[in-house]
Amino acid sequence: MQDDAFFNEGELVGVLTTQPLDRPLDYKAPEGGCHLGAFVEVPLGPRKVLGVVWGKGAGDYDRSKIRSVIRALDAAPMRDELREFLGRAAEYTLTPMPAMLRLATRAPGLGDPPSMRKIYRLGDVIPDRMTDARTRVLEVLRDYGGLSFTLKEVAEMAGVTSSVVKGLVKLGAVREEDSPRDLPFPRLDPARPGKDLTGDQEAAAAALRDGLRSERYGTTLLKGVTGSGKTEVYLEAVAECLKMGRQALVLLPEIALTGEFLARVEARFGARPAEWHSGATMTERRRIWKMVGQGEAQLVVGARSSLFLPFQNLGLIIVDEEHDTSYKQEDGVLYNARDMAVLRAAMGGARVVLASATPSLESWANAEAGKYDKLELTARFGEAVLPEMRAIDMRSEAMEAGRWISPTLKQAVEARMEKGEQALLFINRRGYAPVTLCRACGHQIGCEECDARMVEHRFLKRLMCHQCGETVPIPTVCPSCGAEDRLAPVGPGVERLTEEAVALFPEARVATLSSDMFGSARALKAEIEQIAQGGADIIIGTQLVAKGHNFPLLTLVGVIDADLGLQGSDLRAAERTFQLMRQVAGRAGRAEKSGQALLQTYQPEHPVIRAILGGDEEAFWKAEAAERQAAGVPPYGRMAGIVLSGTDVGAVFDLGNALARNDGPLRHIGAQVFGPAPAPIARIRGRHRVRLLVKAAKGAPIQGAIARWIAPIRLKGDLRLSVDIDPQSFY
Ligand code: ADP
Ligand code: ZN
């Protein structure tokens, strides 16, 4: 079926709704007919629900009982390309279609008529009695005749009270009109000149432009050290895409969606792009969704879910910081936005640019295999040089109990402060202390509902479970032995490190950046901007600071515990540590000043630590690739995680064992099943969790096999089953 297919009134159409049904339902096309892909409202039992005309009706139902579509909504129909993409993404992630459609309709009030607001224009009547105020209003409206203003705006521009304007409306000298609230976005001008690019940058930009002009799908890995100008280069690709009249999407990790980035886009193209993220207002979301659908938003800058917006003609998707783990959605629909971006582009003849200083091994391997093109920027722009990286061998530092900043690191921080530069102390742990221990009985305080320790958050004056978010006041009595005042924090978190820094550097202005310390994304962004402008001497931060923020005065990064990520059984532990350490170190010395990164470690000979310090990235990737290849794990093999959960631990295990016994469909494709075993976090919110792991060869069709494997299962009671294709985390 084609985009322009049309159904006349009364014809049978199949409508996919966002309700959990396993297929589209038949309805009769409404009065006036409807397009294929139309967003419609249909009756379902006693309710009205949102749906999309997915195709012809199946016609296998008593025709006399078929109801009519209530109405087609005032929105551009969903294009073939997006319908097919949702279908393929559903197959890939083993997600039911209604859940996929919910992702693509995540804007409120899509069914509402466009809401209106009053705007004011010049009328035909000239009032008999003129005053200065009245004259100013009429002049403003005459001068800006092409634009529409609200009452408040007119009054402000004319410098009068709104009653003056209202008075003119009564006389007919000013006209009051209704105008839709969902206004188009201001046009971006791709013809404006960008920065003068260096030779390397220009070569990379030219290659991306050529790719776009081919109007065929292709993915390019744009690898370049932090500060090498990747953003400048991919903005050139965006410019080319806009010149071609196609839409572009820039995906950023949610937290990197800062004013700084938007301001850069505005400086380049003369207007702000549409901005899609969890902090956007409901009205704004609706406006973006509609305008994207009408092709009126040229460029969207957004978090991962913007991939499901109804673009009319998407020509380019940039995935910035493509290695970032937050691209994987870990609840609801388990999808990886980076992989889905490639899928969507492949289906719509669009280009993808994956930008990173430390690509994921997946993308690195795809480039190695020739599936992706690869462009590399090796030098930092201008004077900026890469930070010098060194280990601080903690075995030979004199450390007091309860202290984490070594004397060597302390000295280095002081030296920077004397020069008026900033230092960042990095620790990837939220809260005050990860463990609260009873010194009388050795008990560690855990969450009642989860298999997790409670983490002290002194800032909130509570203990918090990082799994379920439950908090309790900090107790003074051990819940296990009843001893009083014997509870002690063990280990450092970002808050405790702040306390130590304040004590060690009494003169310094210390700022702490941790995602849980700010009420809103907006407050956090404001704090980041304030720090960037020199509002702090020492920044204490978690992972949050590793992501794309530019702190021009920052020249020293001290990593408190470089060994932290190396423990654990995660197959990506080495890769993650390598990426994180390089990213964090890359925060130092981004402007003219040179930077340094110091890594506190108890195992300076560890191969990953040596690779980080040595800076021979290719050697690291090759070694890591060889290990994964030998183990047959991603990206050289396929994996899927199955998590079973329920309140009755016996029932959860019974289900797991039954699955493991009946693994015929998996054996059929040569896949292996491991487990069932208690998940690393064996209980969350009172539900017991059991994992199975499916491992198969690279090209094996695991989705189909898993679908056949789990199809016979009927989940009883509160049992739940979730399938995670290409799992990124193994909790
Ligand atoms: P990356 O995305 O690789 O981290 P950016 O594109 O953010 O790098 O560039 C780092 C800094 O250098 C930015 O402030 C950017 O504006 C500046 N820059 C990069 N290339 C140029 C150039 N050719 N001319 C002027 N400034 C540049
Ligand atoms: Zn909990």
Side-chain angles (χ1 to χ4, degrees):
M1 282 222 162
Q2 292 294 311
D3 268 336
D4 46 11
F6 187 81
F7 299 95
N8 292 313
E9 177 174 353
E11 269 188 87
L12 278 195
V13 293
V15 174
L16 179 71
T17 71
T18 54
Q19 303 305 304
L21 305 162
D22 58 2
R23 57 165 216 171
L25 298 180
D26 280 7
Y27 288 92
K28 289 180 198 146
E31 194 184 329
C34 61
H35 281 97
L36 178 63
F39 288 86
V40 292
E41 195 174 68
V42 293
L44 188 68
R47 290 184 302 155
K48 292 177 189 174
V49 299
L50 177 71
V52 170
V53 176
W54 214 254
K56 272 197 186 119
D60 54 1
Y61 191 67
D62 180 357
R63 218 192 136 100
S64 65
K65 291 191 182 138
I66 291 181
R67 299 160 82 179
S68 269
V69 167
I70 298 168
R71 65 193 179 104
L73 305 183
D74 174 32
M78 187 185 281
R79 302 194 54 234
D80 285 357
E81 176 239 312
L82 180 51
R83 288 200 316 281
E84 281 161 23
F85 168 62
L86 294 179
R88 290 280 296 278
E91 276 170 28
Y92 190 91
T93 57
L94 289 171
T95 302
M97 280 309 290
M100 252 13 260
L101 184 61
R102 272 199 295 278
L103 274 183
T105 49
R106 287 221 323 211
L110 291 182
D112 300 350
S115 69
M116 303 300 258
R117 58 177 185 171
K118 301 260 182 258
I119 57 158
Y120 295 80
R121 293 181 191 286
L122 203 60
D124 325 306
V125 182
I126 306 207
D128 298 336
R129 194 177 62 83
M130 286 299 283
T131 61
D132 274 1
R134 285 183 169 178
T135 311
R136 284 205 300 278
V137 171
L138 297 183
E139 269 171 12
V140 160
L141 291 178
R142 197 174 301 121
D143 290 350
Y144 300 94
L147 302 175
S148 50
F149 299 107
T150 61
L151 182 60
K152 196 164 152 253
E153 288 164 343
V154 177
E156 252 165 38
M157 286 195 306
V160 302
T161 61
S162 50
S163 59
V164 175
V165 187
K166 285 274 189 190
L168 287 167
V169 171
K170 257 191 212 127
L171 297 171
V174 170
R175 273 211 316 263
E176 188 180 68
E177 294 171 3
D178 287 321
S179 152
R181 197 179 288 277
D182 293 337
L183 294 176
F185 287 87
R187 302 296 294 174
L188 305 189
D189 179 6
R192 287 164 63 113
K195 300 216 161 92
D196 286 332
L197 299 184
T198 65
D200 273 7
Q201 291 173 343
E202 179 48 38
L208 295 181
R209 280 196 292 265
D210 286 348
L212 275 156
R213 277 191 225 108
S214 78
E215 299 197 37
R216 287 211 312 268
Y217 158 74
T219 295
T220 305
L221 176 62
L222 176 61
K223 183 172 177 303
V225 295
T226 352
S228 58
K230 293 184 295 299
T231 311
E232 299 298 338
V233 169
Y234 74 62
L235 287 179
E236 292 311 301
V238 170
E240 185 66 25
C241 179
L242 301 189
K243 280 183 198 159
M244 293 169 69
R246 301 183 78 179
Q247 291 167 293
L249 169 64
V250 176
L251 291 180
L252 295 175
E254 172 102 15
I255 202 67
L257 266 169
T258 57
E260 181 198 333
F261 183 81
L262 295 165
R264 260 176 99 168
V265 172
E266 186 172 1
R268 176 68 182 81
F269 298 116
R272 265 171 112 81
E275 190 187 337
W276 178 272
H277 58 89
S278 57
T281 62
M282 291 301 170
T283 336
E284 191 58 14
R285 277 177 167 249
R286 195 181 86 144
R287 173 183 180 216
I288 294 175
W289 193 93
K290 289 219 162 171
M291 290 304 143
V292 166
Q294 292 167 20
E296 300 286 344
Q298 296 157 285
L299 172 62
V300 176
V301 176
R304 62 182 176 224
S305 61
S306 49
L307 197 56
F308 295 94
L309 286 170
F311 290 95
Q312 279 297 294
N313 184 6
L314 183 60
L316 174 67
I317 307 175
I318 312 282
V319 186
D320 201 354
E321 311 281 357
E322 68 90 30
H323 62 279
D324 196 286
T325 51
S326 70
Y327 282 124
K328 178 69 187 274
Q329 172 147 312
E330 297 284 7
D331 51 18
V333 180
L334 307 178
Y335 69 93
N336 187 321
R338 177 192 66 216
D339 301 345
M340 291 300 120
V342 171
L343 178 65
R344 182 157 191 185
M347 298 178 68
R351 308 295 293 189
V352 179
V353 176
L354 305 177
S356 175
T358 52
S360 60
L361 192 65
E362 273 82 2
S363 300
W364 182 86
N366 278 329
E368 254 341 63
K371 276 205 241 164
Y372 296 170
D373 298 329
K374 185 170 172 184
L375 295 169
E376 202 156 350
L377 301 173
T378 48
R380 278 194 164 183
F381 177 73
E383 308 276 316
V385 287
L386 275 177
E388 177 214 351
M389 302 197 45
R390 279 208 298 121
I392 296 179
D393 186 344
M394 295 299 280
R395 294 168 306 188
S396 52
E397 293 284 323
M399 296 300 296
E400 271 173 58
R403 296 283 180 197
W404 287 273
I405 299 170
S406 64
T408 307
L409 182 55
K410 174 173 183 261
Q411 259 177 20
V413 172
E414 279 163 351
R416 296 290 160 175
M417 279 170 52
E418 268 160 36
K419 289 199 252 172
E421 298 170 7
Q422 286 175 331
L424 164 68
L425 300 180
F426 174 79
I427 181 149
N428 204 7
R429 261 197 192 137
R430 293 183 287 138
Y432 184 81
V435 178
T436 302
L437 180 88
C438 172
R439 273 181 300 205
C441 74
H443 176 74
Q444 301 183 1
I445 298 187
C447 175
E448 301 259 302
E449 296 295 315
C450 306
D451 170 31
R453 296 194 189 101
M454 295 296 274
V455 178
E456 180 176 345
H457 284 247
R458 208 160 271 197
F459 186 70
L460 302 172
K461 301 193 177 59
R462 297 180 83 81
L463 297 181
M464 184 193 292
C465 169
H466 285 181
Q467 293 312 319
C468 69
E470 180 64 23
T471 68
V472 296
I474 299 173
T476 53
V477 173
C478 172
S480 178
C481 73
E484 228 168 294
D485 294 324
R486 299 300 302 276
L487 293 169
V490 179
V494 69
E495 294 174 18
R496 197 172 195 183
L497 196 64
T498 301
E499 198 176 86
E500 183 177 350
V502 168
L504 274 186
F505 311 104
E507 256 87 89
R509 294 167 303 158
V510 178
T512 311
L513 283 179
S514 175
S515 54
D516 56 321
M517 296 182 69
F518 294 86
S520 68
R522 230 167 264 281
L524 174 62
K525 283 171 192 174
E527 174 73 5
I528 287 173
E529 267 151 46
Q530 154 84 12
I531 293 173
Q533 283 157 22
D537 305 308
I538 299 177
I539 308 159
I540 314 270
T542 59
Q543 180 136 355
L544 183 70
V545 295
K547 296 181 184 175
H549 306 297
N550 210 341
F551 297 119
L553 298 172
L554 179 68
T555 54
L556 174 71
V557 170
V559 176
I560 296 302
D561 186 354
D563 308 331
L564 193 58
L566 295 176
Q567 301 113 9
S569 54
D570 191 327
L571 74 98
R572 293 182 180 84
E575 176 185 352
R576 295 267 162 78
T577 303
F578 182 80
Q579 287 162 341
L580 186 58
M581 292 299 114
R582 308 264 323 169
Q583 292 279 335
V584 173
R587 298 298 112 209
R590 294 207 47 171
E592 306 76 44
K593 305 184 176 73
S594 68
Q596 189 185 36
L598 298 173
L599 276 57
Q600 297 193 149
T601 170
Y602 284 92
Q603 29 186 344
E605 293 88 26
H606 192 291
V608 175
I609 301 288
R610 287 186 30 194
I612 294 165
L613 298 173
D616 187 351
E617 291 184 41
E618 285 300 304
F620 173 78
W621 295 122
K622 289 213 170 89
E624 183 65 18
E627 264 181 40
R628 300 249 196 114
Q629 204 147 19
V633 295
Y636 303 99
R638 301 205 60 192
M639 272 175 56
I642 316 290
V643 173
L644 309 172
S645 68
T647 47
D648 175 357
V649 66
V652 183
F653 262 101
D654 287 348
L655 176 59
N657 286 320
L659 274 171
R661 269 196 311 276
N662 300 310
D663 63 347
L666 295 175
R667 260 185 295 134
H668 189 70
I669 60 157
Q672 291 170 282
V673 182
F674 298 90
I681 298 170
R683 200 164 55 104
I684 296 183
R685 292 192 178 87
R687 298 175 65 84
H688 297 275
R689 306 172 75 245
V690 162
R691 283 188 72 101
L692 294 123
L693 199 64
V694 176
K695 221 176 116 183
K698 192 162 168 63
I702 60 170
Q703 283 93 345
I706 292 176
R708 285 191 294 282
W709 183 42
I710 60 178
I713 292 193
R714 295 288 160 263
L715 293 170
K716 296 200 194 80
D718 67 357
L719 285 177
R720 293 281 172 280
L721 178 155
S722 85
V723 181
D724 187 359
I725 303 289
D726 310 331
Q728 293 284 317
S729 66
F730 295 83
Y731 67 95

